[in-house]
Amino acid sequence: MEWTIQELATRAGITSRTLRHYDRVGLLAPSRVGANGYRYYDATAVARLQRILLMRRLGMGLPAIAKVLADDVDAYDGLRVHIAALEEERDRIDRQIRSVRHTLEALQAGAEPRMDVMLAGFNDHYKDEVISRWGERAFQVSNDWWHGKTLDQQLAWKQDTEDLVAAWVAAARAGISPASARAQALAARHIRWLTQIPGTPTADGDRELSIAMVQGLGDMYVDDPRFTGMYDDAAGATFVRDALHTYARTQM
C-alpha cells in the first residue's frame, strides 16, 4: 500500500511542505516518484515518519533526529524516547476513551452529550500551547470546527494553507522588502486565512488581540524551529515575520 504526499500529510497531521522539507534535509525521502512527479510513501517510509514525529513531539531538533536515524548511536536511549512518547499517546487515547464512553452513556440515558467532553482528546496535540497563548475557548471552538470538516474539506484547507506558504517562500526568494506592496498583500491574505478559523481573535473581530496574535505568530515563525522550516529557512521565516509586523502596525 502506498500513500500520496497529500494523503500522508493529512493522516499525519502535518503539511506536505513539511514532508518535502524532510526530504530536502535528508530525513525522509519518498519511496518513489511517479512519472507524473507525484511522491509516494510505502509502509517503510511511514514507519520512519513515525519515528521522526515521535522525536519531534519530544522536542528534538531535526539535526539531532537525523543523527539518531543515521546511526542509532544509542539504541537504548532511542527506545526510551519512543516509550515516553507512546506513554503520552496512551494518555491521549485514555482521554478519547473517556469522551466516547461519555457519549455512549449519555445517549443510553436519553441525555444530550456535552460537546466539550465528546471532543476531548481528539486532534489536541497542540492543546496546551493554544490554551496558553489564546485561551480555552480558542482551542475548543477551533477543534470543533476542524472535526466538523469532511476529509475532502480538510484536504482543501491544507492545500490553501500550503499555497499561502508557497507564495510567502516565493516572495522571500524574490528579495523584495517586507514592506513592499506584494509582501503586504500576502500579509493581508494571511490575516484572511486566520479569520476563517473560529475562536481566533481575528475571527472574533477583536482588534487589539488580533494585532497581538499576528505579531506573536510572526515571532513564533522565527523562534520556533517547528515553523521556521515551513518558510524554507530562517531568512524566509524572518521575511514573513517582518511583513506581518508591518501589516499589524500599519493596517490593523
Side-chain angles (χ1 to χ4, degrees):
M1 180 179 178
E2 291 182 320
W3 281 341
T4 65
I5 191 171
Q6 281 280 7
E7 291 171 334
L8 180 58
T10 297
R11 283 161 175 77
I14 57 178
T15 66
S16 58
R17 174 166 290 275
T18 296
L19 287 173
R20 287 192 290 270
H21 181 65
Y22 287 169
D23 182 19
R24 189 163 57 248
V25 300
L27 277 183
L28 179 68
S31 306
R32 68 179 180 91
V33 178
N36 54 7
Y38 289 0
R39 299 172 182 225
Y40 296 90
Y41 297 81
D42 62 13
T44 300
V46 174
R48 186 176 174 92
L49 177 61
Q50 179 192 56
R51 295 193 66 193
I52 294 170
L53 296 179
L54 283 170
M55 288 184 276
R56 289 295 283 154
R57 174 172 288 187
L58 290 166
M60 292 178 65
L62 297 187
I65 293 174
K67 183 173 179 58
V68 171
L69 293 176
D71 51 25
D72 250 343
V73 172
D74 191 333
Y76 294 126
D77 283 347
L79 288 173
R80 291 188 187 100
V81 166
H82 294 328
I83 288 171
L86 290 170
E87 287 175 341
E88 180 181 336
E89 183 70 6
R90 180 190 60 196
D91 292 341
R92 185 182 68 83
I93 292 174
D94 285 344
R95 293 196 301 273
Q96 290 182 344
I97 291 172
R98 287 196 296 270
S99 69
V100 175
R101 182 174 290 122
H102 160 80
T103 303
L104 174 62
E105 292 173 351
L107 292 174
Q108 286 177 330
E112 182 176 347
R114 287 177 50 194
M115 287 292 292
D116 58 335
V117 177
M118 282 195 293
L119 293 175
F122 293 90
N123 198 31
D124 60 355
H125 44 285
Y126 292 121
K127 178 178 180 179
D128 292 341
E129 184 173 349
V130 171
I131 291 175
S132 67
R133 288 178 180 272
W134 299 297
E136 175 77 38
R137 178 181 174 276
F139 167 77
Q140 193 60 59
V141 173
S142 61
N143 198 46
D144 292 351
W145 164 77
W146 180 252
H147 284 292
K149 290 180 176 293
T150 65
L151 178 60
D152 286 343
Q153 289 172 329
Q154 290 178 346
L155 285 170
W157 170 262
K158 284 180 174 289
Q159 186 60 58
D160 288 344
T161 302
E162 292 189 8
D163 290 345
L164 173 60
V165 171
W168 275 121
V169 171
R173 288 178 177 173
I176 63 176
S177 166
S180 66
R182 178 179 173 184
Q184 289 304 288
L186 278 174
R189 179 179 168 185
H190 204 103
I191 306 309
R192 290 195 298 272
W193 172 76
L194 287 172
T195 303
Q196 297 176 56
I197 306 174
T200 60
T202 49
D204 292 342
D206 189 317
R207 179 175 177 272
E208 290 188 5
L209 286 180
S210 294
I211 291 173
M213 180 181 184
V214 170
Q215 292 173 332
L217 282 175
D219 291 338
M220 184 174 67
Y221 293 153
V222 173
D223 298 335
D224 193 325
R226 292 175 301 172
F227 299 98
T228 302
M230 286 178 55
Y231 297 103
D232 220 19
D233 53 26
T238 299
F239 172 79
V240 176
R241 179 200 64 190
D242 293 347
L244 289 176
H245 277 211
T246 298
Y247 188 90
R249 185 176 63 254
T250 61
Q251 301 296 324
M252 293 182 71

